[in-house]
Amino acid sequence: MANLELIINIIIIALLIPTIVYAYRLNNSLKILRQNQNSLAQLVNALNEATFKAENSIPKLKSVTEHSSEGLKEVVDSAKELKDDLLFINERADNLADRLENVISSGRNIKTSPEISSKPEPAEKDVSSRSEAELELLKALRSIK
């Protein structure tokens, strides 16, 4: 019987040694987890603060956005009106330029008609007879088109 108790005690000791080693490693892991738990808690607190600040900033951002969009809408509406006005003015200027060109060419036709003049003037002279102001005006009107 003494031998049986000795064998059982040796088996228990043999099983307790790995259990003690495992418990020691587990204790070290738990220490590391506890140390990191404080860091994790700080990280969670920082995240909560950042979330709180972001939530508080959203209404302010909305009001600023609405205010800016109203101002921008006014500018866009004004620009659309100005665009329409400019298109109208440009169309009128084109019409006036065409009418002016027709009047100028009909005036030249009257000037060079055979009844008034005995011999027709060459076309080259017709172009050179235009004043510089007329030529500049025609160039400007053509460049607008």
Side-chain angles (χ1 to χ4, degrees):
M1 241 354 208
N3 285 337
L4 185 62
E5 285 180 20
L6 183 63
I7 292 174
I8 291 175
N9 284 338
I10 290 175
I11 291 173
I12 291 175
I13 291 172
L15 291 175
L16 280 176
I17 290 174
T19 305
I20 292 171
V21 171
Y22 180 74
Y24 179 76
R25 286 184 182 173
L26 183 61
N27 187 33
N28 285 340
S29 297
L30 289 173
K31 280 183 187 177
I32 293 171
L33 183 62
R34 285 187 197 119
Q35 290 172 353
N36 290 336
Q37 184 179 7
N38 291 334
S39 300
L40 184 60
Q42 290 174 353
L43 181 64
V44 168
N45 287 335
L47 183 62
N48 284 337
E49 288 177 21
T51 304
F52 180 74
K53 287 179 183 178
E55 287 175 351
N56 288 338
S57 298
I58 288 173
K60 293 176 186 175
L61 185 61
K62 276 186 179 180
S63 68
V64 168
T65 303
E66 288 174 2
H67 180 68
S68 296
S69 67
E70 289 172 5
L72 186 60
K73 186 175 187 249
E74 291 174 7
V75 170
V76 168
D77 291 342
S78 174
K80 285 180 181 177
E81 290 175 12
L82 288 174
K83 178 191 151 213
D84 292 340
D85 291 345
L86 286 173
L87 286 173
F88 176 72
I89 289 171
N90 191 17
E91 193 174 302
R92 294 270 323 247
D94 285 344
N95 291 339
L96 286 174
D98 291 341
R99 286 177 43 198
L100 182 61
E101 192 171 355
N102 289 339
V103 167
I104 290 172
S105 59
S106 67
R108 290 223 164 70
N109 288 342
I110 293 172
K111 186 178 179 183
T112 59
S113 68
E115 298 172 359
I116 299 175
S117 145
S118 59
K119 64 179 184 178
E121 296 178 8
E124 197 174 286
K125 192 169 186 180
D126 184 37
V127 171
S128 65
S129 68
R130 291 185 178 177
S131 69
E132 288 182 36
E134 288 178 26
L135 292 174
E136 288 180 26
L137 179 62
L138 285 174
K139 284 180 184 177
L141 291 173
R142 287 182 182 135
S143 68
I144 292 174
K145 291 181 182 180

